[in-house]
Amino acid sequence: MSTMATDPQPLVMGRYYLIKLLGKGSFAKVYKARHAETGEEVAIKIMDKDHLAKSGAEQQQIMSEIDIMRRVRHPNVVRLHEVMANKKRIFVVMELVRGGSLLGYLSRNRGVGEPAARRVFQQLVSAVEYCHSRGVFHRDIKPENILVDGKGDIKVADFGLSALADTKHDALLHTVCGTPMYIAPEVILNRGRGYDGVAADVWACGVVLFVIVAGCLPFSSVTDTGAMYRKIVRRQYDCPESLSPGLARLVRRILSPLPAQRITIPQIKQMPWFRRGFKEINFYIGSDECPRTLGDYHDLDSDSDDDSNSTVSSSEDPSSPVQHRGRRMHTSVSAPSLTSLEKEKDSSVPAMRRPKSLNAFDIIASSPSFDLSGLFDEPGEQMRFVSAAPVPKIIAKLEEIAGHVSFTARTKEHQVSIEATRNGLRGVLIISAKVFELTQDLVMVKVCKKAGDTAEYRQFCDKELKPGLRGLVDGMPPAGDSA
Amino acid sequence: MGCASSKQFKRRTPGYEDPNILAKETTFSVNEVEALYELYKKISNSIFKDGIIHKEEFQLALFRNSSKKNLFADRIFDLFDQKRNGVIEFGEFVRSLNIFHPDTPMTEKIAFAFRLYDLRCTGFIEREELKELVIALLNESDLFLSEEAVEQIVDQTFKQADANGDGKIDPDEWKDFACKNPALLRNMTLPYLNMQKSTWARAVVM
């Protein structure tokens, strides 16, 4: 790259050169950095560990969100590559977005008109909805976290990282100091305990929308926080007269102090103001379609043939990102070329690909009974079956089952695999199914739980998956035995 | 003070070894050996309550089931039981788990896996052994393949791994094959054991 400096640059985590400081917050610094070997440019956020959330439940949540975020792709979400830590700090490696934050964009482009505001808001809502559907909440949406690229498209940063830095305290602190606040009233009133992440994110989107169109915060008070809360609770804010009635109505419905009465994302998307020019983007959890060497070896291995371990870890084991490192340098066998990936964005093509084949030792090594993890943790939820049916037929059947139970099935790149998500009663359930070749005529399908409630997963397996596959499958484990 | 003497009176299980010595011999730190001791105590007192791990206790810990016959549990147990006296003592437990530490050199893991798969201890992984392993492991998951299909899989594997084509895999061939396919060793590493390194487990716990 052109900025190649002759000075020795600090090397972090043994593989990134810090190039320059991009931004600085109270607990974190963001650097532009370059991968030592590949030259790939990334952004690295470095945080002090003192500000980590500490409760066990929160940790699990963080880990599972990070795990999901590492696999999530959406055009308006900043990609998270990896998270690492040493004794003092946490390093979050993410996609480098050229441009700046929405804050800078707004100050440069004074008086952003409604069409431009709508575009930003549509993209913001699309990103938030997508992440929510995967069980990931932001909890700290604000213009500083919304990046604008050269084309004026936005990318939301820090999804799933909220609990890393203690944003709630941070926000409360800032509120007291009179700095901008985007935190939903119920979050502040509950001191961050037990609130609905979905509704809180919607609130923040509303404040952002207001800031874009009005150029100021809806509720703010430099001196009197009490007065500010009273205004929030009474929904008392000055709506600029210039706003179109449709927009004013939308803002009002978002800034409802009671989360239960606040408009939801599906409702927002029905609002006429929002719908103008809105194109629904159908996105998917991709795996590794980007030209990265760095992220690729993690996910490739874990996604392609490491189910038994990664299943357990992705939702339940706080050490999982660690596990995804170190052992990953290898399985590049099935890495597809970039061009083939580009073409395969539609979910209808898996039939063209050949599943990764398993040799005898693969079968042994990935066998749930050949796994010592049980000494340390509950065994993972995994199910395997063998079928002589053609791969496209299996995939079609899996998708049918997924559709039948209102799952959204997506076929991934570079391997024959589908991942399904649904919003169950106990949160989001993510299930993945992968197909491997055993012999010319036989394939093995591995189904495992990636995230979500175990009981709900088992119920899905027993009531929907297993009955649905009858006939296609040779060895179907008896009901109830999903380990 | 009473401190030092009270420690002396603390009852240790038979086969207990000084964590300092075990830490020196292995990748584990003293703290980690002590943490493993807690785990050891739990497992070894789950059924017979005599402070030594019996096979049933080992199976119970691994699969939450002490009676289900499991080839893998048998194999692992035999390899852990270095003294071959039918139980796993604490020192054996720590030294054996050390193989599964993420920082343990690949060569040790490769060697351990070889011994694990060399069911009859002939110094080779033979065709029949591999076949037996595949069938047993599939059956444990209630997967039943035809004889023919298993033959095909084993044939295919031998084509890749048995470089000199003598019908059995020797330690060198295994080493080459495993180096080319490191994913084959994934069950030889337990991320859980990486308690000390600057990892997420630590980041979150500390």
Side-chain angles (χ1 to χ4, degrees):
Chain A
M1 292 270 109
S2 56
T3 48
M4 197 66 90
T6 44
D7 294 342
Q9 296 153 319
L11 186 68
V12 296
M13 297 175 300
R15 52 178 184 273
Y16 293 99
Y17 289 112
L18 296 186
I19 301 172
K20 72 172 185 189
L21 184 67
L22 295 174
K24 206 169 150 182
S26 25
F27 306 125
K29 287 178 178 170
V30 181
Y31 291 89
K32 179 177 170 182
R34 186 187 303 117
H35 193 273
E37 282 155 34
T38 65
E40 182 192 18
E41 292 192 324
V42 295
I44 299 186
K45 184 171 193 168
I46 304 180
M47 286 179 275
D48 287 343
K49 213 188 267 177
D50 304 346
H51 304 288
L52 264 183
K54 296 217 171 52
S55 91
E58 263 178 312
Q59 290 163 21
Q60 279 210 353
Q61 179 69 14
I62 298 169
M63 294 320 304
S64 93
E65 290 193 12
I66 286 175
D67 213 57
I68 296 168
M69 286 311 294
R70 284 174 51 249
R71 291 177 292 125
V72 147
R73 305 287 179 273
H74 187 281
N76 304 117
V77 177
V78 173
R79 283 195 56 192
L80 179 65
H81 295 327
E82 55 182 329
V83 178
M84 287 179 255
N86 65 19
K87 275 197 179 128
K88 283 190 190 146
R89 295 194 179 86
I90 296 164
F91 303 87
V92 180
V93 183
M94 52 202 171
E95 173 187 8
L96 179 68
V97 179
R98 286 158 222 275
S101 81
L102 184 61
L103 210 59
Y105 176 80
L106 291 175
S107 66
R108 277 194 312 277
N109 303 277
R110 283 195 61 83
V112 178
E114 276 191 31
R118 180 184 295 123
R119 192 164 117 102
V120 169
F121 186 69
Q122 285 168 340
Q123 293 182 1
L124 176 62
V125 166
S126 168
V128 170
E129 182 187 38
Y130 176 75
C131 290
H132 284 179
S133 77
R134 327 268 1 170
V136 179
F137 309 104
H138 197 297
R139 304 188 191 86
D140 193 23
I141 294 170
K142 54 187 179 189
E144 292 91 321
N145 284 334
I146 300 172
L147 307 175
V148 187
D149 71 11
K151 287 177 283 180
D153 289 323
I154 66 152
K155 280 182 190 280
V156 185
D158 289 0
F159 249 108
L161 295 181
S162 54
L164 276 181
D166 203 341
T167 48
K168 277 150 329 204
H169 289 147
D170 198 8
L172 290 172
L173 194 73
H174 280 174
T175 322
V176 178
C177 303
T179 22
M181 62 149 266
Y182 297 83
I183 307 293
E186 69 271 17
V187 179
I188 293 165
L189 293 175
N190 293 343
R191 303 249 146 208
R193 280 188 305 261
Y195 63 94
D196 176 4
V198 175
D201 278 351
V202 169
W203 168 276
C205 290
V207 180
V208 169
L209 175 60
F210 188 94
V211 169
I212 298 172
V213 291
C216 64
L217 284 156
F219 313 99
S220 66
S221 171
V222 184
T223 47
D224 187 353
T225 0
M228 184 173 75
Y229 291 138
R230 281 192 294 280
K231 281 186 187 171
I232 289 177
V233 173
R234 290 182 197 140
R235 225 192 294 196
Q236 215 172 65
Y237 58 91
D238 294 324
C239 186
E241 285 177 10
S242 57
L243 298 200
S244 67
L247 174 57
R249 206 175 309 129
L250 175 60
V251 168
R252 187 155 183 83
R253 290 192 58 188
I254 297 177
L255 296 181
S256 162
L258 297 175
Q261 288 170 15
R262 196 169 300 148
I263 189 171
T264 64
I265 289 181
Q267 289 168 337
I268 291 177
K269 291 170 72 181
Q270 294 306 314
M271 299 283 281
W273 185 85
F274 183 92
R275 286 172 57 175
R276 274 183 75 172
F278 180 67
K279 280 199 260 354
E280 187 81 63
I281 320 162
N282 281 316
F283 263 81
Y284 45 86
I285 269 204
S287 14
D288 294 287
E289 77 275 36
C290 288
R292 339 189 56 253
T293 44
L294 155 78
D296 283 2
Y297 56 75
H298 307 288
D299 295 56
L300 249 177
D301 194 1
S302 73
D303 279 0
S304 58
D305 50 18
D306 200 335
D307 293 359
S308 53
N309 289 335
S310 65
T311 322
V312 187
S313 58
S314 56
S315 54
E316 277 144 26
D317 166 20
S319 69
S320 74
V322 171
Q323 180 198 347
H324 291 290
R325 280 185 290 132
R327 300 187 293 126
R328 301 291 171 216
M329 306 295 286
H330 22 70
T331 327
S332 49
V333 242
S334 56
S337 75
L338 263 177
T339 42
S340 69
L341 283 172
E342 283 301 309
K343 286 182 201 135
E344 288 174 2
K345 283 210 168 136
D346 282 340
S347 59
S348 52
V349 278
M352 332 250 309
R353 272 165 281 140
R354 219 180 135 78
K356 179 182 155 61
S357 87
L358 292 183
N359 67 42
F361 291 109
D362 280 313
I363 297 175
I364 294 167
S366 61
S367 163
S369 56
F370 241 124
D371 182 359
L372 278 182
S373 308
L375 293 176
F376 302 89
D377 204 349
E378 287 298 312
E381 294 290 333
Q382 193 207 78
M383 192 177 79
R384 303 187 295 176
F385 58 85
V386 173
S387 173
V391 177
K393 204 170 161 191
I394 296 172
I395 293 282
K397 189 77 197 171
L398 287 170
E399 283 179 335
E400 185 194 314
I401 295 169
H404 182 60
V405 295
S406 73
F407 268 65
T408 49
R410 313 256 190 242
T411 35
K412 284 209 225 178
E413 301 78 9
H414 84 58
Q415 57 183 7
V416 180
S417 148
I418 71 166
E419 189 156 302
T421 305
R422 76 165 152 188
N423 291 300
L425 295 173
R426 301 192 189 87
V428 172
L429 184 62
I430 301 180
I431 292 164
S432 113
K434 297 187 184 104
V435 185
F436 300 92
E437 184 184 275
L438 280 180
T439 67
Q440 281 191 334
D441 313 313
L442 278 183
V443 294
M444 178 183 278
V445 182
K446 291 187 191 176
V447 179
C448 69
K449 188 189 84 168
K450 290 267 176 190
D453 183 73
T454 300
E456 199 167 350
Y457 167 75
R458 288 190 179 147
Q459 197 184 1
F460 164 74
C461 288
D462 291 344
K463 297 256 164 72
E464 292 156 40
L465 183 65
K466 288 176 190 172
L469 285 170
R470 210 144 277 155
L472 264 190
V473 156
D474 294 348
M476 175 59 78
D481 181 19
S482 44
Chain B
M1 292 285 172
C3 243
S5 58
S6 71
K7 223 173 201 169
Q8 275 180 349
F9 288 114
K10 215 177 194 176
R11 284 191 54 201
R12 295 296 192 187
T13 58
Y16 178 79
E17 286 182 50
D18 183 354
N20 291 296
I21 297 172
L22 286 171
K24 271 203 193 100
E25 283 180 34
T26 61
T27 318
F28 299 114
S29 69
V30 176
N31 283 342
E32 288 168 336
V33 174
E34 282 167 354
L36 285 176
Y37 186 60
E38 293 304 311
L39 177 66
Y40 179 84
K41 275 198 297 193
K42 206 175 102 195
I43 300 173
S44 63
N45 288 309
S46 60
I47 300 176
F48 298 106
K49 313 206 187 301
D50 59 357
I52 303 178
I53 298 182
H54 296 259
K55 195 176 269 183
E56 291 84 347
E57 292 171 325
F58 192 65
Q59 288 204 354
L60 180 68
L62 272 182
F63 306 116
R64 313 290 184 265
N65 183 338
S66 62
S67 55
K68 194 176 164 191
K69 182 138 178 57
N70 182 296
L71 178 70
F72 174 64
D74 281 357
R75 284 302 295 157
I76 286 276
F77 190 89
D78 291 347
L79 290 183
F80 273 42
D81 176 18
Q82 291 154 342
K83 290 188 193 159
R84 310 208 133 270
N85 57 353
V87 290
I88 301 174
E89 292 169 11
F90 180 56
E92 293 173 333
F93 186 68
V94 175
R95 289 190 190 91
S96 303
L97 280 180
N98 186 48
I99 304 281
F100 295 84
H101 193 287
D103 291 345
T104 298
M106 239 357 136
T107 47
E108 288 182 43
K109 293 176 191 285
I110 291 174
F112 190 88
F114 188 86
R115 288 166 58 209
L116 192 61
Y117 300 155
D118 177 14
L119 295 179
R120 292 185 252 292
C121 307
T122 54
F124 300 98
I125 300 174
E126 288 165 37
R127 225 180 154 288
E128 279 310 303
E129 289 171 328
L130 188 58
K131 201 174 142 187
E132 193 180 325
L133 271 169
V134 170
I135 294 174
L137 288 168
L138 288 174
N139 291 0
E140 273 162 20
S141 307
D142 292 304
L143 296 172
F144 301 95
L145 265 59
S146 68
E147 176 85 16
E148 192 194 347
V150 176
E151 286 286 343
Q152 267 190 42
I153 293 167
V154 174
D155 274 348
Q156 202 54 40
T157 308
F158 262 75
K159 253 184 220 161
Q160 296 166 39
D162 178 19
N164 65 12
D166 64 353
K168 50 194 183 184
I169 298 168
D170 64 41
D172 285 337
E173 287 169 341
W174 169 246
K175 199 174 154 194
D176 289 347
F177 189 57
C179 287
K180 272 184 230 147
N181 304 284
L184 296 183
L185 296 170
R186 62 180 164 267
N187 58 344
M188 290 293 125
T189 295
L190 288 167
Y192 303 94
L193 293 176
N194 204 340
M195 297 179 263
Q196 188 208 12
K197 259 193 110 191
S198 55
T199 60
W200 247 104
R202 205 65 171 175
V204 175
V205 172
M206 296 283 295

